[in-house]
């Protein structure tokens, strides 16, 4: 079975532009997570979904960030407008269910905002 | 709030030797899970091993094993017979059972394998 798929792998954009990151979770997984990795803050959860419904978005840094999951096989993380401090690696992860289920990570998207 | 601390920013070991990476955590919960993830230069986060807090037996996966000390809130990773492919960042992570699903990560330890 394919793992978590993220696109693009790299994104370079200019400040003020809209950025959309995409994720396809592992088929059959009920949970989807968006994490951000920076040198200063390490790995931090931005938002997660259960059965396509956002459950906890307390990690979303500000209103410029939004995430959607229109169906069980696709999610987007959008930044509008982007700023240089948004430069980071963004990971999508999925897990089969709650409890102690392991989260499986995608390869990440490296975002650079100039 | 739960926190995870990895006190060793960098570690190095000779190929074929054994190395132990340290992790401590702080929580008031009694039921939780602990994980070690590996992040090689490709930046893919790969699960190495997991431990359920209610299990007294330490988890083992081939050359990887943990020393879980619940009372001390310590969760170290031992890598035996180190191989060049083990070179990576290693992250310790915590997740409470039920409730919030998020993983709380430590800052990571960069492991170098010397040939």
């Amino acid at each position: 079975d394919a793992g978590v798929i993220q696109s693009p792998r790299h994104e370079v954009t200019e400040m003020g532009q809209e950025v959309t990151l995409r994720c396809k979770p592992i088929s059959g997984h009920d949970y989807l997570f968006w994490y951000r990795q920076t040198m200063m803050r390490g790995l931090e959860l931005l938002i997660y979904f259960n059965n396509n419904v956002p459950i906890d978005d307390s990690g979303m840094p500000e209103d410029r960030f939004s995430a959607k999951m229109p169906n069980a096989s696709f999610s987007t993380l959008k930044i509008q407008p982007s700023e240089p401090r948004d430069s980071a690696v963004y990971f999508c992860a999925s897990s089969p269910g709650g409890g102690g289920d392991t989260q499986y990570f995608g390869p990440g998207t490296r975002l650079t905002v100039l | 709030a739960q926190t995870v601390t990895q006190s060793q920013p960098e570690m190095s070991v000779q190929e074929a030797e054994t190395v132990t990476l340290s992790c401590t955590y702080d929580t008031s919960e009694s039921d939780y899970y602990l994980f070690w993830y590996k992040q090689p230069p490709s930046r893919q986060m790969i699960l190495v091993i997991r431990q359920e807090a209610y299990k007294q037996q330490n988890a083992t996966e081939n050359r990887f094993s943990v020393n879980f000390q619940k009372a001390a809130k310590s969760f170290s990773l031992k890598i035996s017979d180190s191989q060049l492919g083990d070179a990576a960042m290693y992250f310790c992570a915590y997740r409470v059972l039920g409730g919030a699903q998020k993983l709380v990560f430590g800052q990571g330890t960069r492991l170098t394998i010397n040939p």
Side-chain angles (χ1 to χ4, degrees), chain A residues 5 20 26 30 35 37 54 61 67-68 70 75 78 84 92 94 97 103 106-107:
Chain A
I5 299 172
T20 300
I26 294 172
D30 292 334
Y35 288 89
Q37 184 178 31
K68 293 182 180 180
S75 177
K78 185 176 293 185
C92 178
S94 69
Q103 294 178 21

Side-chain angles (χ1 to χ4, degrees), chain A residues 19-30:
Chain A
V19 175
T20 300
L21 311 182
R22 297 173 177 80
C23 175
K24 176 179 170 56
I26 294 172
S27 178
H29 282 194
D30 292 334

Side-chain angles (χ1 to χ4, degrees), chain A residues 33-46:
Chain A
F33 307 82
W34 283 100
Y35 288 89
R36 179 172 68 175
Q37 184 178 31
T38 62
M39 289 294 293
M40 291 297 294
R41 299 175 65 88
L43 277 152
E44 52 184 350
L45 178 72
L46 299 177

Side-chain angles (χ1 to χ4, degrees), chain A residues 9-10 31 33 35 37 41-43 45 48 89 91 97-103 105-110, chain B residues 33 35 37 39 42-47 50 52 91 95-107:
Chain A
R9 292 294 309 275
H10 304 272
Y31 286 80
F33 307 82
Y35 288 89
Q37 184 178 31
R41 299 175 65 88
L43 277 152
L45 178 72
Y48 79 90
V89 179
F91 287 100
D101 281 349
T102 297
Q103 294 178 21
F105 283 74
T109 295
R110 179 177 293 281
Chain B
Y33 296 84
F35 305 83
Y37 279 87
Q39 187 178 39
S42 67
R43 78 166 178 259
Q44 175 88 45
M45 295 288 288
I46 302 166
L47 178 69
R50 57 175 275 167
E52 291 84 353
F91 292 93
R95 229 207 77 196
V96 67
L97 172 62
Q101 295 288 315
K102 72 175 184 180
L103 285 169
V104 178
F105 287 90
Q107 288 299 98

